[in-house]
Amino acid sequence: MSAQSTAHSFKANATGAMADAQLTGNLKAVRQNFIDKRAKAASELPEFEALRENAKEIKNHTLAHLDLYLEKYEAKVTASGGYVHFAADAEEARQITLDICRKVGAKTVTKGKSMITEEVGLNAFLEANGVTPVETDLGEYIIQLRGEAPSHIIAPAVHLNKEQIESDFRRVHTHLDANRDLTEKTSLLTEARAVLREKFLVADVGITGANFLIAETGTSIIVTNEGNGDLTQVLPKVHVVMASIEKMVPTLEDVSQILRLLARSATGQEMSVYTTLSTGPRRKGAFSSEVDAGSREENATKKEARAQARGDVDGPEEYHVIILDNGRSAMLGGEFQDMLRCIRCAACMNHCPVYHQIGGHAYGWIYPGPMGSVLTPSLIGVDEAGHLPNASTFCGRCESVCPMKIPLPKMMRHWREREFERNLNPAIARYGLGLWAFFARRPKLYALSTRIAMKAMRLLGRGKGRFTWLLGASAWTKYRDFAVPEGETFQAKWKRERGVK
Amino acid sequence: MTTSRDNLFASIRRSLHVKGDERLRAGIVEDRLDRAPKGIIPDRAQIDAPAKLALLLEKLVGVQATTAVLADYSEVPAAVADYLRANNLPATLKRGDDPRLAACPWDKTALDVSVGRSDGGDLNAISHAEAGIAETGTMALISGPENPTTLNFLPDNHIVVLSATDVVGDLEAIWPRIRAKYGKGEMPRTVNFITGPSRSGDIEQTILLGAHGPRRLHVLIVGA
C-alpha cells in the first residue's frame, strides 16, 4: 500500500480548493514566478530545443534497454562498496529502509527532499516503528510540521503564506523566545536553519532520493538549492538513496545533457546551486600504515600521495540504494511508457491553468498537475484516480514546456478512453455521449436539429445576450453564464462564407 | 526462491518483450557506455581561454558569488584575510590537505588556520576546486582528504580557490579530467557542482540566500 489517496474524491477536493480564498491567493505565486523565469532561461540558451530532442532520445534509449543498464549500474555500485536493494512495491521499500535503520540502531534520520519517499509513505512507517524522520528541505520541513503532503513536486509548501509558516514555527519551536520577531521571511529561514542544523549533526542515517542514477559509474545524483540534501548524505554514518527504476541514464555525458534542461525548466536557473554525484561509501585509505611508517622526510608530492592513500576524512561509511518499481515496469512498452521520461521538474504544473486554480492537494495523491494526472492512474489504478485525467482543458501548455517532450494531453486522452471503456464515467456523461453519437452519425438530422436548437435558444435569450440558467446545464451556469447563440450554426456559417469565396 | 530482484527484471523484460540475453542489445549498451558520446554542447562556452575566464566571472556574479583574481598562490592568504575583514568575519579558516593550499604562506597573515574536516563549528572554510565551468559559473569540487566535502556545506562562508588553467567551457569538459584521474567508469566518493551560495525559494517563492549551506561563496581565481 502506497501513501493514502483521496484522488477518488477529486471533484469535491477541487471544489473545496477553489472556495478557499487563502489558498487561491497563495497560488498566485506559481503563475507569477515560474512561468517567466523558465521562459527567460530557455530563450537564453539557443540550443534548448535541440537539447529537449536529444534528452528525449537519451531516455527512450535508456528505457528500451532498462534491464541491461540496471544490471550495469548494480555491478558498479557493488564494486564501489555500496549495496543495491530491489523493491517491488512501497511496502518492501519501507521495510528495507527500516531494516537498514535498525541495523545501525538509528533513532533519527534526516531526509533530503524526495517524492519517492512520499510515494511509499516512508515517514509514517518509520515513525510507527520508533525511528524519527526529519525533513530538511525548508518546504518539506514546513509541511511535515503541519502533517501535510507536498502540494507541488519542487515547491512543497507553495500553498502556504509566511503568516501560516510563522504560526507553525511558533507552535512547534517552543524552546525559543515566544516574543521573537518572525515577521521577515529571512527570520523564518534563519530559524529553520538553526533548528535543522542540530538535527543534521545528530542523525544516524540520511535518506535522499535521486534525480538520476548513472549506469557507467554506479553514481546517484541529487540536485538542490538549499544544500540540505548534501548535509543529509555527507554527515550520518549511513546514506540511503531511494530511487525508482526510470531514474537511470547511461553515462556522465548523457546526464549532462538532461541537467541543462532540468534547472531551467524547474526554476529558471541555468544550474541549481548544488548538483552532487555520489558513488559508494567513504573511501578507505588502502596503504595508510605503510605510508605512515615512512612519514618523516616527506616532500610535497609524497604528502599528496599520503593524503590520497589515507582516504576520505568525511562521508558516510555505508551507502545503500533502494531501487523501486511500484508499478513502473508495467508501463514499459505500452502507451504510458513516455511518462517514464519525466524528470520531475514541475514545468507542467507551473503552466497548468487547472493547477493554478486548485493547487496540488486537490489531486489527492503525491503527484499533482498534468504529470500527476497521467502517472497517478498508472501507479494506483484508474478506478481510484480516473477523475484526474479529466482535469484538463487540453490547452497543451504542459506538453509545450515539458523538457522531455512527454505528450501529456495525448496520454490523458488514453486514460479518458480507458475510463469510458471500463464504465467509470457517470451515467449522464455516457447517455449524453450516446445521444450525441446518434445525431453525429446522421449528418442531415444533426444539421436540422442543431439549426432548430440554435434558433430556439436565440429566441429564448433574445435581448439578454447570456443565460444565467439553462435547463440541463446547471452545472455550467452555476459558475458562469452561457452565451446566447447568434442564431446560425457553425456549419451553416461555414457553408455560407465558403460559398461566397 | 525468486527474489524481488528477479521479479523486477522479469517484469521489465516482459514489458519490453525481451529476454535480456540478446547479443545485439547487449552490444548497443556496451558501446554506449564505452564511447559515452557527447550530445549537444552550447556554443556559448566554445571560446578561447581569456573569454572563458571572462564568462566564468560574469556567471559567478550572476549567481550571487563574489570573485577576486590573483596572480599566484602566494597572494591567497592575504586575499582571504582581506575578504574576511571586509565582511566583518572572524579571522579563522578551515582547510583540507590540498598541497596547493598547504603551500600558501598562511603565516604571513594573522589568520588562525586549522586543517581537516568540519564538524559544524567552523565559520569559514577554503577549498581548492578541480575545475570551474564557464558555461554556468559552476565550481567542480572533488571529495577526499585534500578537500573534505563537509567544508563545502557546513561553514557559513565558503572560499573556493580555482587555478585559471582549470577553467573549462562546458560541463562535459569535466568528465575526461575525472576519467584521467580515477579511470574510466570510476568516480571519487563525491563530485560537488556548486553554483553560487545556498538559497531557498520555499517561503512565498522569494529567493533567500543561506538556507542550509554557505551564506556566501567567494571564488579566488589564481594565475590569470
Side-chain angles (χ1 to χ4, degrees):
Chain A
M1 183 60 204
S2 301
Q4 271 299 323
S5 157
T6 64
H8 54 273
S9 44
F10 173 70
K11 280 176 110 171
N13 296 350
T15 309
M18 284 189 289
D20 183 340
Q22 187 168 46
L23 173 67
T24 49
N26 296 349
L27 283 172
K28 280 189 188 131
V30 175
R31 276 204 299 280
Q32 285 161 358
N33 286 299
F34 285 118
I35 294 179
D36 292 349
K37 286 183 185 170
R38 180 209 160 271
K40 184 165 181 289
S43 71
E44 284 173 0
L45 186 67
E47 294 87 355
F48 193 78
E49 283 309 307
L51 280 161
R52 284 177 75 196
E53 195 55 44
N54 195 36
K56 173 184 160 184
E57 291 307 317
I58 290 170
K59 269 289 183 185
N60 283 349
H61 165 84
T62 313
L63 292 171
H65 302 87
L66 188 58
D67 52 330
L68 302 178
Y69 281 121
L70 274 170
E71 283 177 346
K72 295 281 181 193
Y73 169 81
E74 180 191 19
K76 274 291 175 187
V77 175
T78 310
S80 67
Y83 302 93
V84 181
H85 312 261
F86 291 92
D89 54 24
E91 188 183 347
E92 203 174 346
R94 290 191 303 247
Q95 193 58 50
I96 294 167
T97 313
L98 180 64
D99 291 345
I100 296 169
C101 291
R102 285 204 167 137
K103 236 176 97 189
V104 294
K107 293 201 169 52
T108 67
V109 305
T110 42
K111 289 186 65 208
K113 194 182 123 36
S114 136
M115 292 307 299
I116 193 99
T117 60
E118 296 280 355
E119 178 182 323
V120 304
L122 183 64
N123 287 2
F125 180 76
L126 289 180
E127 211 142 10
N129 287 282
V131 179
T132 308
V134 180
E135 294 289 349
T136 62
D137 170 82
L138 180 57
E140 285 282 342
Y141 177 66
I142 292 164
I143 61 165
Q144 189 184 27
L145 296 184
R146 299 170 64 87
E148 289 181 347
S151 72
H152 187 283
I153 61 172
I154 66 162
V158 75
H159 59 289
L160 301 171
N161 61 35
K162 74 176 166 63
E163 287 74 25
Q164 290 169 295
I165 297 166
E166 177 184 344
S167 83
D168 288 317
F169 279 17
R170 290 196 187 281
R171 175 173 57 79
V172 178
H173 300 160
T174 48
H175 61 292
L176 298 173
D177 178 9
N179 297 317
R180 68 196 185 280
D181 183 7
L182 286 177
T183 46
E184 293 297 320
K185 291 173 191 172
T186 46
S187 26
L188 293 169
L189 179 75
T190 307
E191 179 163 317
R193 178 184 170 108
V195 169
L196 286 166
R197 186 54 72 96
E198 299 301 311
K199 310 279 186 190
F200 282 125
L201 293 168
V202 300
D204 306 295
V205 174
I207 301 174
T208 67
N211 292 83
F212 306 97
L213 304 173
I214 306 175
E216 177 192 0
T217 53
T219 299
S220 58
I221 297 194
I222 60 166
V223 177
T224 77
N225 277 320
E226 298 184 2
N228 65 305
D230 288 280
L231 290 172
T232 297
Q233 62 183 24
V234 77
L235 295 175
K237 281 195 294 276
V238 180
H239 176 199
V240 178
V241 180
M242 196 186 288
S244 48
I245 54 173
E246 82 280 13
K247 297 289 169 186
M248 190 62 56
V249 286
T251 65
L252 294 164
E253 275 73 7
D254 290 326
V255 84
S256 308
Q257 297 283 295
I258 305 177
L259 280 172
R260 282 203 182 84
L261 297 167
L262 176 57
R264 286 180 173 91
S265 301
T267 54
Q269 291 166 286
E270 295 197 318
M271 186 97 172
S272 298
V273 177
Y274 302 113
T275 298
T276 299
L277 288 76
S278 301
T279 313
R282 172 194 294 224
R283 300 296 154 85
K284 296 218 164 56
F287 315 105
S288 54
S289 54
E290 294 99 293
V291 178
D292 278 347
S295 66
R296 281 213 182 159
E297 50 207 276
E298 284 167 337
N299 56 30
T301 8
K302 264 193 185 162
K303 243 182 202 166
E304 191 182 5
R306 178 170 173 266
Q308 294 261 358
R310 220 175 55 228
D312 288 337
V313 294
D314 51 20
E317 284 153 32
E318 280 180 40
Y319 175 76
H320 297 263
V321 187
I322 302 167
I323 308 270
L324 176 72
D325 183 354
N326 212 24
R328 288 165 176 83
S329 61
M331 294 166 69
L332 287 165
E335 56 194 335
F336 297 106
Q337 172 173 316
D338 289 345
M339 191 61 222
L340 296 176
R341 289 203 300 267
C342 178
I343 54 172
R344 307 287 190 268
C345 72
C348 59
M349 63 197 72
N350 291 341
H351 290 74
C352 178
V354 177
Y355 182 93
H356 291 162
Q357 295 302 319
I358 63 175
H361 285 155
Y363 290 81
W365 201 53
I366 305 306
Y367 303 104
M371 57 80 64
S373 295
V374 174
L375 187 61
T376 304
S378 293
L379 299 186
I380 64 174
V382 69
D383 296 355
E384 171 67 22
H387 284 313
L388 302 185
N390 297 326
S392 167
T393 64
F394 282 164
C395 70
R397 269 166 109 187
C398 50
E399 182 176 0
S400 73
V401 296
C402 175
M404 306 306 288
K405 294 194 152 193
I406 300 170
L408 292 157
K410 186 180 97 183
M411 288 192 289
M412 282 187 254
R413 266 199 302 276
H414 287 325
W415 278 126
R416 290 189 188 185
E417 285 158 14
R418 294 235 186 142
E419 188 191 19
F420 190 82
E421 281 162 17
R422 296 186 56 175
N423 249 328
L424 294 170
N425 307 73
I428 186 142
R430 301 186 72 82
Y431 290 136
L433 274 170
L435 194 67
W436 180 82
F438 173 83
F439 283 99
R441 280 197 296 265
R442 294 164 179 81
K444 280 197 179 133
L445 184 62
Y446 187 94
L448 177 72
S449 51
T450 48
R451 213 159 56 226
I452 294 170
M454 289 309 111
K455 287 237 164 76
M457 281 172 76
R458 178 167 161 73
L459 220 62
L460 267 173
R462 195 168 36 192
K464 286 189 280 191
R466 54 191 60 241
F467 296 106
T468 53
W469 181 85
L470 203 59
L471 181 67
S474 59
W476 177 283
T477 53
K478 191 173 164 192
Y479 297 106
R480 46 229 183 290
D481 295 341
F482 191 94
V484 171
E486 297 197 349
E488 193 175 31
T489 65
F490 172 77
Q491 290 196 357
K493 191 177 165 81
W494 176 260
K495 219 178 204 168
R496 181 165 54 76
E497 297 204 344
R498 281 186 86 197
V500 170
K501 264 189 188 167
Chain B
M1 197 190 103
T2 61
T3 63
S4 293
R5 184 188 182 286
D6 299 336
N7 290 336
L8 200 155
F9 279 94
S11 174
I12 291 173
R13 285 173 174 142
R14 201 160 46 242
S15 289
L16 292 175
H17 303 290
V18 296
K19 287 209 191 88
D21 57 359
E22 295 86 351
R23 298 252 293 275
L24 181 66
R25 288 179 81 237
I28 289 170
V29 165
E30 290 290 349
D31 178 64
R32 184 164 194 119
L33 293 178
D34 192 45
R35 281 191 306 118
K38 269 196 190 186
I40 289 146
I41 308 297
D43 275 343
R44 87 158 56 143
Q46 307 312 301
I47 45 183
D48 66 12
K52 272 181 199 158
L53 179 62
L55 178 62
L56 178 71
L57 289 167
E58 177 201 321
K59 289 289 175 187
L60 281 167
V61 172
V63 295
Q64 289 81 40
T66 52
T67 62
V69 178
L70 311 176
D72 60 62
Y73 281 96
S74 68
E75 295 178 9
V76 168
V80 171
D82 288 349
Y83 172 75
L84 295 179
R85 202 176 313 113
N87 287 288
N88 229 356
L89 297 166
T92 58
L93 190 66
K94 183 73 113 211
R95 66 169 176 86
D97 272 352
D98 192 287
R100 293 160 294 188
L101 295 180
C104 290
W106 298 107
D107 49 5
K108 290 191 178 154
T109 64
L111 288 171
D112 174 10
V113 183
S114 54
V115 181
R117 55 162 283 165
S118 179
D119 58 6
D122 307 288
L123 263 181
N124 313 314
I126 190 165
S127 310
H128 203 293
E130 169 69 17
I133 302 165
E135 179 185 358
T136 48
T138 299
M139 295 293 114
L141 291 108
I142 286 180
S143 60
E146 303 88 348
N147 294 288
T149 306
T150 39
L151 299 191
N152 302 344
F153 295 99
L154 281 171
D156 274 19
N157 308 290
H158 190 208
I159 299 164
V160 175
V161 179
L162 172 71
S163 165
T165 54
D166 293 331
V167 176
V168 300
D170 51 85
L171 177 58
E172 279 85 340
I174 294 291
W175 309 130
R177 298 171 65 110
I178 289 186
R179 288 181 186 126
K181 214 167 175 172
Y182 294 87
K184 171 80 174 76
E186 304 301 317
M187 293 286 275
R189 152 68 197 162
T190 308
V191 177
N192 289 123
F193 291 119
I194 299 178
T195 312
S198 160
R199 68 200 62 194
S200 174
D202 276 342
I203 302 172
E204 295 184 356
Q205 301 292 288
T206 309
I207 303 293
L208 304 172
L209 296 187
H212 290 295
R215 302 169 195 269
R216 293 189 183 86
L217 177 69
H218 186 57
V219 178
L220 299 174
I221 299 176
V222 177

